[in-house]
């Protein structure tokens, strides 16, 4: 069996099919006797014919080929290593997601602040554009009302002056007539009679 393993690891030549057919070896592990004869891939004398590798080449082959590891399902240390690796990958993923979430929150907060100030600037601009014509309209309306009130006041003032002048003229003429009548009576007879009832 050791010869078969050496043949399997040999990279030099493949076994010859004729030589393998002629080599029959009895295997005592299979029960021995004539019935237990089996054709093997190689026999020890046929290995010499095929050119079996020497021990140095076999050592080089062992050094090149990786050692066979037990299956991952059967090794408990391998399971625990896989569990630790998956936990660590989960920690790294959660850390990355948390960092990305914090970055997203910072960006969203900045964008909300910027958009708020942009909206405020637009609102102030629109308000200024609305207030300027409104103030001009109110100013014009107040000027028109002031002009109308002033013109009406002057009209009433002129009317009052006319009435006052007419009244003063009338009062002056009446006083002049009374004064003229009294001056005539001074030279004539006094007609005031006092009646005393007793």
């Amino acid at each position: 069996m050791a010869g078969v393993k050496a043949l399997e690891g040999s990279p030099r030549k493949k076994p010859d099919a004729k030589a393998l057919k002629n080599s029959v070896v009895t295997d005592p592990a299979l029960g021995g006797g004539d019935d237990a004869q089996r054709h093997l891939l190689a026999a020890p004398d046929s290995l010499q014919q095929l050119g079996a590798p020497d021990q140095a080449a076999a050592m080089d082959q062992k050094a090149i080929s990786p050692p066979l590891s037990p299956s991952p399902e059967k090794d408990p240390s391998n399971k625990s290593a896989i569990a630790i690796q998956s936990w660590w990958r989960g920690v790294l993923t959660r850390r990355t997601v948390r960092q990305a979430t914090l970055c997203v929150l910072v960006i969203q907060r900045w964008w909300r602040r910027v958009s708020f100030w942009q909206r405020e600037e637009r609102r102030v601009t629109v308000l200024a554009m609305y207030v300027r014509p409104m103030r001009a309209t109110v100013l014009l309306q107040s000027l028109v009302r002031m002009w109308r009130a002033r013109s009406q006041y002057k009209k009433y003032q002129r009317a009052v002056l006319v009435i006052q002048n007419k009244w003063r003229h009338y009062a002056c003429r009446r006083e002049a007539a009374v004064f003229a009548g009294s001056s005539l009576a001074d030279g004539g007879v006094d007609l005031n009679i006092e009646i005393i009832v007793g």
Side-chain angles (χ1 to χ4, degrees):
M1 292 303 277
V4 172
K5 283 184 182 177
L7 182 62
E8 287 175 357
S10 169
R12 288 189 181 176
K13 290 183 181 179
K14 290 190 177 182
D16 187 19
K18 273 188 181 178
L20 288 177
K21 269 187 186 175
N22 294 333
S23 65
V24 175
V25 178
T26 59
D27 192 358
L30 295 176
D34 293 335
D35 296 328
Q37 291 183 353
R38 298 281 180 249
H39 289 282
L40 296 178
L41 292 175
D45 27 322
S46 65
L47 285 177
Q48 294 297 329
Q49 296 170 358
L50 295 175
D54 56 347
Q55 286 185 348
M59 293 301 286
D60 289 341
Q61 185 65 28
K62 284 183 182 178
I64 293 173
S65 64
L68 294 175
S69 62
S71 65
E73 294 83 12
K74 295 179 182 177
D75 191 10
S77 64
N78 198 8
K79 284 184 181 178
S80 61
I82 290 173
I84 291 171
Q85 287 174 356
S86 65
W87 171 79
W88 181 245
R89 281 193 296 270
V91 166
L92 291 178
T93 304
R94 284 189 292 275
R95 189 182 298 169
T96 305
V97 168
R98 189 181 313 120
Q99 185 68 26
T101 305
L102 291 175
C103 292
V104 165
L105 289 175
V106 167
I107 292 170
Q108 284 179 345
R109 193 177 309 129
W110 171 81
W111 176 247
R112 286 186 188 124
R113 189 167 56 243
V114 166
S115 61
F116 171 74
W117 284 113
Q118 285 178 350
R119 281 197 307 270
E120 281 297 310
E121 286 178 0
R122 282 198 299 267
R123 188 180 69 84
V124 167
T125 305
V126 169
L127 191 61
M129 289 174 62
Y130 172 75
V131 165
R132 188 176 296 131
M134 186 60 69
R135 286 178 65 185
T137 306
V138 169
L139 183 63
L140 284 173
Q141 286 176 350
S142 65
L143 287 174
V144 168
R145 286 193 193 107
M146 187 179 65
W147 175 77
R148 288 178 62 187
R150 185 176 291 164
S151 62
Q152 198 167 15
Y153 171 75
K154 287 186 177 183
K155 180 181 174 184
Y156 291 152
Q157 190 178 23
R158 284 193 299 270
V160 166
L161 288 175
V162 168
I163 292 171
Q164 283 178 351
N165 287 334
K166 296 288 183 182
W167 177 256
R168 286 180 188 143
H169 184 64
Y170 171 74
C172 188
R173 275 187 6 196
R174 195 179 72 180
E175 283 180 13
V178 169
F179 180 71
S182 67
S183 61
L184 292 174
D186 285 342
V189 182
D190 187 12
L191 298 175
N192 285 336
I193 301 171
E194 292 186 14
I195 300 173
I196 300 173
V197 180

